[in-house]
């Protein structure tokens, strides 16, 4: 079977964005001006590319690499288009950001959702669109946790900053409801940005350090939540489709017998046409496309290398590879 004929875009923590075609040949390498690194790049309908640089900000690029805007905020992990019907040039982007607060005697990092206007490259409104620190107790209750270890009194230890929820993904369910993927509590929670209500949660027992939620259509036409479930504590990874209401696992893929899926950190799954899925096995610097039967129809191994922790060289991690049908990418 031939792979889906789309460009595949990613960033690998250096100051540029990369893309290849299905043959593995390079399509583009764009430097992101004014940034020392880029963690994540999302190709958008129309050809623009939305880039996130950790603690530096968000940059929107034209397909030729020109910057449309650059906003300096404490962004991280992911940015998505808000699905509220606005046309290209007037869209709004939801971005994960974080800040440190004093909590139970420590410096603790909490993550929030910030909205950015495409036309002006500026923040929409005052403050975060959603503040998990303010909603902390409601989130824990929805997830089924009586307390978080960081709620117990402690003390600052030098420059240490503790990470409470570690939000790492966003998926909109309509124009105001958004699923937040909260790695450190093994959960995905749905919140309403218009009311700050915590609507529902899929929590521990089902997920283990998950990443990259998105909504997809199942083979029966049902609406499902797709995610990369890392399995840090159980020791194996999988791609899962969940019932958004009940959290029931409706489908999963664990890799092949010859090569089980494993990425302790990071990871991504993106649904492509015909039920195919692009999977990023981040820590191994590998991306694969599988068909609806779980057969691997395409594989990419990052030719770029980095120094390995045990010495020698290893493939550079691919945080999230995303496919784009845009001809200009």
């Amino acid at each position: 079977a031939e792979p889906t004929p789309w460009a595949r875009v990613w960033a690998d923590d250096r100051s540029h964005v990369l893309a290849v075609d299905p043959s593995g040949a390079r399509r583009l390498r764009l430097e992101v001006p004014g940034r020392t690194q880029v963690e994540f790049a999302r190709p958008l309908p129309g050809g623009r590319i939305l880039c996130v640089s950790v603690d530096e900000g968000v940059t929107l690029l034209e397909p030729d690499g020109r910057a449309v805007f650059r906003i300096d905020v404490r962004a991280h992990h992911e940015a998505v288009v808000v699905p509220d019907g606005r046309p290209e040039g007037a869209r709004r982007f939801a971005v994960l950001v974080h800040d440190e607060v004093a909590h139970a005697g420590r410096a603790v990092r909490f993550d929030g959702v910030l909205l950015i206007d495409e036309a002006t490259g500026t923040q929409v409104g005052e403050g975060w669109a959603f503040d998990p620190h303010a909603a902390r107790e409601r989130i824990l209750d929805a997830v089924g946790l009586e307390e978080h270890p960081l709620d117990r009194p402690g003390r600052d230890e030098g420059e240490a900053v503790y990470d409470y929820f570690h939000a790492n993904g966003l998926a909109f369910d309509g124009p105001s409801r958004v699923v937040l993927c909260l790695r450190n509590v093994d959960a995905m929670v749905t919140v309403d940005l218009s009311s700050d209500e915590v609507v529902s949660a899929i929590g521990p027992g089902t997920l283990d350090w998950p990443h990259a939620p998105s909504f997809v259509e199942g083979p029966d036409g049902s609406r499902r939540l797709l995610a990369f479930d890392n399995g840090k504590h159980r020791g194996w990874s999988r791609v899962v489709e969940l019932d958004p209401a009940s959290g029931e696992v409706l489908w999963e893929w664990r890799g092949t017998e010859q090569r089980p899926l494993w990425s302790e950190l990071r990871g991504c799954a993106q649904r492509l046409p015909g039920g195919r899925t692009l999977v990023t096995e981040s820590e191994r610097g590998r991306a694969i496309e599988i068909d609806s039967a779980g057969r691997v129809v395409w594989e990419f191994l990052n030719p770029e290398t980095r120094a390995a922790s045990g010495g020698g060289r290893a493939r550079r991690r691919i945080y999230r590879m995303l496919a784009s049908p845009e001809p200009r990418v």
Side-chain angles (χ1 to χ4, degrees):
E2 294 296 320
T4 304
W6 288 2
R8 290 105 199 281
V9 179
W10 80 96
D12 62 4
D13 293 327
R14 292 179 291 182
S15 60
H16 53 255
V17 174
L18 298 158
V20 295
D21 63 25
S23 74
R26 180 174 288 177
R27 285 281 295 268
L28 60 80
R29 181 183 186 277
L30 300 177
E31 289 292 329
V32 181
R35 303 301 189 198
T36 64
Q37 49 77 34
V38 184
E39 178 183 41
F40 172 72
R42 178 178 294 281
L44 303 178
R48 288 177 168 178
I49 302 174
L50 192 60
C51 305
V52 174
S53 300
V54 180
D55 285 337
E56 294 182 357
V58 178
T59 307
L60 182 64
L61 297 180
E62 294 285 12
D64 62 5
R66 289 179 295 120
V68 180
F69 71 71
R70 190 181 76 191
I71 180 172
D72 298 335
V73 291
R74 297 195 66 187
H76 62 96
H77 281 90
E78 189 167 26
V80 300
V81 177
V82 179
D84 55 7
R86 297 170 188 255
E88 181 184 352
R91 295 170 290 198
R92 294 188 301 168
F93 305 129
V95 181
L96 286 172
V97 292
H98 57 216
D99 200 4
E100 285 84 47
V101 301
H103 180 77
R106 306 177 184 89
V108 177
R109 179 178 292 123
F110 282 87
D111 314 283
V113 180
L114 185 72
L115 299 181
I116 299 173
D117 181 76
E118 181 179 20
T120 62
T122 59
Q123 178 178 333
V124 176
E126 296 292 329
W128 294 351
F130 183 73
D131 181 356
H133 180 247
R136 178 182 59 81
E137 292 183 356
R138 286 178 282 137
I139 292 173
L140 293 181
D141 183 61
V143 171
L145 297 176
E146 292 186 3
E147 69 169 358
H148 190 289
L150 291 176
D151 292 333
R152 301 165 191 161
R155 59 184 179 83
D156 272 327
E157 297 180 11
E159 300 296 319
V161 177
Y162 300 85
D163 202 356
Y164 199 94
F165 287 124
H166 191 90
N168 61 31
L170 295 166
F172 272 85
D173 186 12
S176 64
R177 286 193 173 185
V178 63
V179 174
L180 289 177
C181 190
L182 306 178
R183 187 198 72 180
N184 282 4
V185 289
D186 300 325
M188 293 189 289
V189 300
T190 301
V191 301
D192 192 317
L193 299 184
S194 64
S195 65
D196 274 356
E197 178 187 3
V198 179
V199 178
S200 62
I202 302 171
T206 299
L207 299 168
D208 183 353
W209 272 38
H211 282 78
S214 62
F215 283 96
V216 300
E217 183 177 299
D220 57 356
S222 62
R223 186 169 169 79
R224 300 181 176 191
L225 194 56
L226 176 72
F228 190 98
D229 188 26
N230 294 71
K232 174 181 171 63
H233 303 100
R234 66 171 179 257
W236 49 268
S237 301
R238 61 180 178 170
V239 176
V240 291
E241 290 180 11
L242 305 164
D243 182 311
S246 68
E248 178 187 357
V249 175
L250 303 174
W251 172 84
E252 70 175 15
W253 187 77
R254 301 185 185 184
T256 64
E257 183 177 350
Q258 297 77 20
R259 190 159 188 178
L261 190 66
W262 174 241
S263 187
E264 181 180 7
L265 304 171
R266 306 184 175 200
C268 185
Q270 178 194 13
R271 182 56 41 84
L272 302 179
R276 290 183 171 186
T277 307
L278 180 62
V279 180
T280 310
E281 195 178 28
S282 297
E283 297 302 301
R284 289 176 170 170
R286 177 178 181 239
I288 48 181
E289 182 180 329
I290 61 172
D291 64 16
S292 57
R295 293 184 292 260
V296 175
V297 300
W298 179 81
E299 180 181 47
F300 176 79
L301 300 175
N302 194 352
E304 304 284 345
T305 63
R306 59 181 173 86
S309 57
R313 306 293 295 178
R315 293 189 196 97
R316 288 193 70 87
R317 302 177 183 94
I318 300 174
Y319 174 43
R320 296 183 188 179
M321 180 179 279
L322 297 175
S324 171
E326 292 296 333
R328 293 183 292 173
V329 170

